[in-house]
Protein backbone atom coordinates (compact mmCIF):
# COMPACT_ATOMS: atom_id res chain seq x y z
CA UNK A 1 0.00 0.00 0.00
CA UNK A 2 1.17 3.55 -0.75
CA UNK A 3 2.97 5.18 2.16
CA UNK A 4 3.05 2.02 4.28
CA UNK A 5 5.59 2.44 7.05
CA UNK A 6 6.55 5.93 5.85
CA UNK A 7 6.09 8.79 8.35
CA UNK A 8 3.45 11.33 7.33
CA UNK A 9 5.96 14.18 7.39
CA UNK A 10 8.35 12.34 5.02
CA UNK A 11 5.54 11.39 2.65
CA UNK A 12 4.17 14.95 2.54
CA UNK A 13 7.64 16.44 1.97
CA UNK A 14 8.37 13.96 -0.82
CA UNK A 15 5.10 14.80 -2.53
CA UNK A 16 5.85 18.52 -2.32
CA UNK A 17 9.27 18.00 -3.91
CA UNK A 18 7.77 15.86 -6.68
CA UNK A 19 5.05 18.44 -7.27
CA UNK A 20 7.61 21.25 -7.46
CA UNK A 21 9.81 19.32 -9.92
CA UNK A 22 6.81 18.49 -12.10
CA UNK A 23 5.60 22.11 -12.09
CA UNK A 24 9.05 23.30 -13.18
CA UNK A 25 9.19 20.63 -15.91
CA UNK A 26 5.76 21.61 -17.24
CA UNK A 27 6.67 25.32 -17.18
CA UNK A 28 9.85 24.71 -19.17
CA UNK A 29 7.96 22.76 -21.84
CA UNK A 30 5.14 25.31 -22.02
CA UNK A 31 7.48 28.29 -22.33
CA UNK A 32 9.62 26.59 -24.99
CA UNK A 33 6.66 25.85 -27.29
CA UNK A 34 4.47 28.81 -26.35
CA UNK A 35 1.55 26.83 -24.92
CA UNK A 36 -0.59 27.11 -21.80
CA UNK A 37 1.02 25.19 -18.89
CA UNK A 38 -2.43 23.89 -17.89
CA UNK A 39 -2.81 22.22 -21.30
CA UNK A 40 0.64 20.63 -21.05
CA UNK A 41 -0.04 19.43 -17.51
CA UNK A 42 -3.37 17.87 -18.52
CA UNK A 43 -1.80 15.98 -21.41
CA UNK A 44 1.12 14.67 -19.35
CA UNK A 45 -1.25 13.55 -16.58
CA UNK A 46 -2.82 10.95 -18.87
CA UNK A 47 0.18 8.62 -18.33
CA UNK A 48 1.17 7.85 -20.98
CA UNK A 49 -0.37 10.26 -23.50
CA UNK A 50 -0.77 9.09 -27.08
CA UNK A 51 1.30 10.46 -29.94
CA UNK A 52 -1.82 12.14 -31.34
CA UNK A 53 -2.39 13.98 -28.06
CA UNK A 54 1.26 15.05 -27.85
CA UNK A 55 1.14 16.46 -31.40
CA UNK A 56 -2.15 18.23 -30.68
CA UNK A 57 -0.65 19.81 -27.55
CA UNK A 58 2.42 20.94 -29.51
CA UNK A 59 4.87 18.82 -27.49
CA UNK A 60 5.65 16.77 -30.60
CA UNK A 61 6.03 18.44 -33.98
CA UNK A 62 4.75 15.52 -36.04
CA UNK A 63 4.18 11.76 -35.88
CA UNK A 64 5.32 9.49 -38.69
CA UNK A 65 6.23 5.89 -39.45
CA UNK A 66 9.81 5.13 -40.48
CA UNK A 67 8.94 4.88 -44.19
CA UNK A 68 7.32 8.32 -44.00
CA UNK A 69 10.41 9.75 -42.32
CA UNK A 70 12.64 8.31 -45.04
CA UNK A 71 10.36 9.64 -47.78
CA UNK A 72 10.78 13.08 -46.23
CA UNK A 73 14.50 12.87 -45.49
CA UNK A 74 15.91 11.14 -48.58
CA UNK A 75 14.97 13.91 -51.07
CA UNK A 76 16.79 16.41 -48.82
CA UNK A 77 19.79 14.08 -48.66
CA UNK A 78 19.91 13.77 -52.45
CA UNK A 79 19.66 17.53 -52.84
CA UNK A 80 22.55 18.05 -50.43
CA UNK A 81 24.67 15.41 -52.14
CA UNK A 82 24.05 16.46 -55.74
CA UNK A 83 22.94 20.06 -55.44
CA UNK A 84 25.08 22.88 -54.19
CA UNK A 85 28.84 22.50 -54.19
CA UNK A 86 30.22 21.06 -51.00
CA UNK A 87 26.87 19.59 -49.95
CA UNK A 88 27.09 16.92 -47.26
CA UNK A 89 25.15 13.66 -47.17
CA UNK A 90 22.75 13.28 -44.29
CA UNK A 91 23.75 10.59 -41.81
CA UNK A 92 21.05 8.55 -40.10
CA UNK A 93 22.09 7.44 -36.62
CA UNK A 94 20.37 4.33 -35.29
CA UNK A 95 18.85 4.42 -31.81
CA UNK A 96 21.33 1.87 -30.39
CA UNK A 97 24.33 3.92 -31.53
CA UNK A 98 22.79 7.10 -30.17
CA UNK A 99 22.14 5.54 -26.76
CA UNK A 100 25.73 4.27 -26.51
CA UNK A 101 27.28 7.74 -26.73
CA UNK A 102 28.70 8.61 -23.26
CA UNK A 103 26.83 11.55 -21.75
CA UNK A 104 30.09 12.93 -20.40
CA UNK A 105 31.49 13.25 -23.95
CA UNK A 106 28.64 15.67 -24.75
CA UNK A 107 29.03 17.71 -21.59
CA UNK A 108 25.78 16.29 -20.20
CA UNK A 109 27.29 14.51 -17.21
CA UNK A 110 30.10 15.47 -14.85
CA UNK A 111 33.30 13.46 -14.62
CA UNK A 112 33.70 11.37 -11.47
CA UNK A 113 36.92 12.93 -10.25
CA UNK A 114 38.21 16.23 -9.00
CA UNK A 115 39.59 18.34 -11.80
CA UNK A 116 40.02 21.94 -12.75
CA UNK A 117 39.27 23.28 -16.19
CA UNK A 118 40.38 26.69 -17.36
CA UNK A 119 37.51 28.21 -19.31
CA UNK A 120 39.22 31.40 -20.44
CA UNK A 121 42.88 32.34 -20.65
CA UNK A 122 44.48 35.45 -22.00
CA UNK A 123 45.24 39.08 -21.31
CA UNK A 124 41.70 40.34 -21.86
CA UNK A 125 39.87 37.32 -20.41
CA UNK A 126 40.48 36.14 -16.85
CA UNK A 127 41.13 32.47 -16.17
CA UNK A 128 38.06 30.80 -14.61
CA UNK A 129 38.44 27.34 -13.07
CA UNK A 130 35.64 24.82 -12.48
CA UNK A 131 35.85 22.41 -9.55
CA UNK A 132 33.12 19.71 -9.56
CA UNK A 133 31.99 18.21 -6.26
CA UNK A 134 30.00 15.28 -7.65
CA UNK A 135 28.62 12.30 -5.77
CA UNK A 136 28.72 11.30 -2.12
CA UNK A 137 31.30 13.14 -0.01
CA UNK A 138 33.68 10.80 1.83
CA UNK A 139 36.68 11.04 4.12
CA UNK A 140 40.09 10.34 2.62
CA UNK A 141 40.67 9.47 -1.00
CA UNK A 142 37.05 8.72 -1.99
CA UNK A 143 36.12 6.43 -4.90
CA UNK A 144 34.80 6.42 -8.46
CA UNK A 145 31.31 7.21 -7.19
CA UNK A 146 32.32 9.58 -4.40
CA UNK A 147 34.31 12.72 -3.74
CA UNK A 148 37.15 12.26 -1.27
CA UNK A 149 38.15 15.11 1.01
CA UNK A 150 41.87 14.59 0.30
CA UNK A 151 41.85 14.98 -3.52
CA UNK A 152 39.23 17.74 -3.30
CA UNK A 153 41.30 19.81 -0.88
CA UNK A 154 44.49 19.13 -2.86
CA UNK A 155 42.85 20.39 -6.07
CA UNK A 156 41.50 23.51 -4.34
CA UNK A 157 44.85 24.33 -2.73
CA UNK A 158 46.69 23.82 -6.04
CA UNK A 159 44.20 26.14 -7.70
CA UNK A 160 45.03 28.90 -5.23
CA UNK A 161 48.66 28.85 -6.41
CA UNK A 162 47.87 29.22 -10.12
CA UNK A 163 48.61 32.65 -11.53
CA UNK A 164 46.53 32.05 -14.67
CA UNK A 165 43.29 31.68 -12.66
CA UNK A 166 41.42 34.71 -11.33
CA UNK A 167 38.10 33.11 -10.27
CA UNK A 168 36.62 29.71 -9.49
CA UNK A 169 33.25 27.99 -9.87
CA UNK A 170 32.39 25.23 -7.41
CA UNK A 171 29.96 22.94 -9.25
CA UNK A 172 28.09 20.97 -6.59
CA UNK A 173 25.93 17.96 -7.44
CA UNK A 174 26.01 15.97 -4.22
CA UNK A 175 23.55 14.62 -1.64
CA UNK A 176 26.23 15.00 1.03
CA UNK A 177 27.94 12.35 3.10
CA UNK A 178 30.61 12.67 5.76
CA UNK A 179 30.18 15.74 7.95
CA UNK A 180 33.91 15.85 8.67
CA UNK A 181 34.88 15.61 4.99
CA UNK A 182 32.33 18.30 4.12
CA UNK A 183 33.75 20.60 6.79
CA UNK A 184 37.31 20.09 5.52
CA UNK A 185 36.28 20.88 1.93
CA UNK A 186 34.24 23.89 3.10
CA UNK A 187 37.31 25.29 4.88
CA UNK A 188 39.46 24.87 1.74
CA UNK A 189 36.80 26.66 -0.34
CA UNK A 190 36.61 29.46 2.23
CA UNK A 191 40.39 29.93 2.16
CA UNK A 192 40.36 29.93 -1.65
CA UNK A 193 37.80 32.74 -1.41
CA UNK A 194 40.43 34.95 0.21
CA UNK A 195 42.60 34.55 -2.91
CA UNK A 196 39.99 34.95 -5.64
CA UNK A 197 36.21 35.23 -6.20
CA UNK A 198 34.49 31.86 -5.71
CA UNK A 199 30.88 31.12 -6.64
CA UNK A 200 28.85 27.93 -6.27
CA UNK A 201 26.72 26.50 -9.06
CA UNK A 202 24.27 23.88 -7.79
CA UNK A 203 23.22 20.95 -9.97
CA UNK A 204 20.28 18.57 -9.43
CA UNK A 205 21.01 18.19 -5.73
CA UNK A 206 23.15 20.02 -3.18
CA UNK A 207 21.90 18.77 0.15
CA UNK A 208 23.42 18.17 3.56
CA UNK A 209 27.21 18.04 2.98
CA UNK A 210 26.68 19.30 -0.57
CA UNK A 211 24.92 22.34 0.89
CA UNK A 212 27.67 22.63 3.51
CA UNK A 213 30.57 22.91 1.04
CA UNK A 214 28.59 25.35 -1.11
CA UNK A 215 28.47 27.80 1.82
CA UNK A 216 32.18 28.51 1.40
CA UNK A 217 31.50 30.55 -1.75
CA UNK A 218 30.55 34.23 -1.80
CA UNK A 219 27.62 33.68 -4.20
CA UNK A 220 25.39 30.67 -4.86
CA UNK A 221 23.34 29.95 -7.97
CA UNK A 222 20.72 27.18 -8.12
CA UNK A 223 18.12 26.17 -10.69
CA UNK A 224 14.39 26.04 -9.84
CA UNK A 225 14.59 22.23 -9.74
CA UNK A 226 17.66 21.97 -7.49
CA UNK A 227 16.97 19.97 -4.33
CA UNK A 228 19.00 21.73 -1.67
CA UNK A 229 19.07 22.46 2.03
CA UNK A 230 20.78 21.53 5.26
CA UNK A 231 19.57 18.18 6.58
CA UNK A 232 21.54 18.39 9.81
CA UNK A 233 23.63 15.91 11.75
CA UNK A 234 22.62 13.70 14.66
CA UNK A 235 25.36 12.19 16.83
CA UNK A 236 24.62 9.45 19.33
Amino acid sequence: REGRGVPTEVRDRTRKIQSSLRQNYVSLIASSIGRDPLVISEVLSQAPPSAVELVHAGILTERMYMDQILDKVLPIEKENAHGAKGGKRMKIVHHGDYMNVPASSLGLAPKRKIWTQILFKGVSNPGIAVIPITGTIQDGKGSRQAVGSEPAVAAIKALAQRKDVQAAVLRVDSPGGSALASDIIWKAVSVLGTKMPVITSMGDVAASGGYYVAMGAEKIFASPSTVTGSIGVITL
Side-chain angles (χ1 to χ4, degrees), residues 76-205:
I76 301 174
E77 183 183 9
K78 289 180 181 178
E79 182 181 344
N80 287 339
H82 305 294
K85 231 178 183 183
K88 296 181 179 179
R89 292 181 62 83
M90 185 175 295
K91 182 180 179 181
I92 298 176
V93 180
H94 293 281
H95 176 263
D97 296 331
Y98 183 82
M99 292 299 294
N100 287 330
V101 176
S104 58
S105 68
L106 304 175
L108 300 178
K111 297 180 180 179
R112 290 286 185 178
K113 65 178 183 177
I114 297 297
W115 53 278
T116 56
Q117 177 183 358
I118 308 305
L119 300 182
F120 302 103
K121 288 173 66 176
V123 177
S124 59
N125 293 320
I128 302 175
V130 178
I131 310 172
I133 303 294
T134 306
T136 305
I137 299 174
Q138 294 181 348
D139 299 310
K141 299 186 182 300
S143 65
R144 288 178 60 87
Q145 288 77 35
V147 177
S149 57
E150 290 181 8
V153 170
I156 295 170
K157 286 184 175 179
L159 186 61
Q161 305 303 318
R162 296 188 59 158
K163 295 182 179 179
D164 58 342
V165 176
Q166 283 77 46
V169 176
L170 192 71
R171 176 64 176 177
V172 180
D173 197 351
S174 170
S178 165
L180 176 60
S182 300
D183 181 68
I184 292 172
I185 296 173
W186 166 83
K187 180 178 181 296
V189 174
S190 300
V191 172
L192 180 64
T194 65
K195 309 283 186 180
M196 64 182 70
V198 179
I199 69 166
T200 290
S201 168
M202 292 181 171
D204 293 334
V205 60

Side-chain angles (χ1 to χ4, degrees), residues 213-232:
V213 300
M215 294 300 103
E218 61 180 79
K219 288 185 180 294
I220 297 176
F221 295 89
S223 71
S225 59
T226 297
V227 178
T228 184
S230 177
I231 297 173

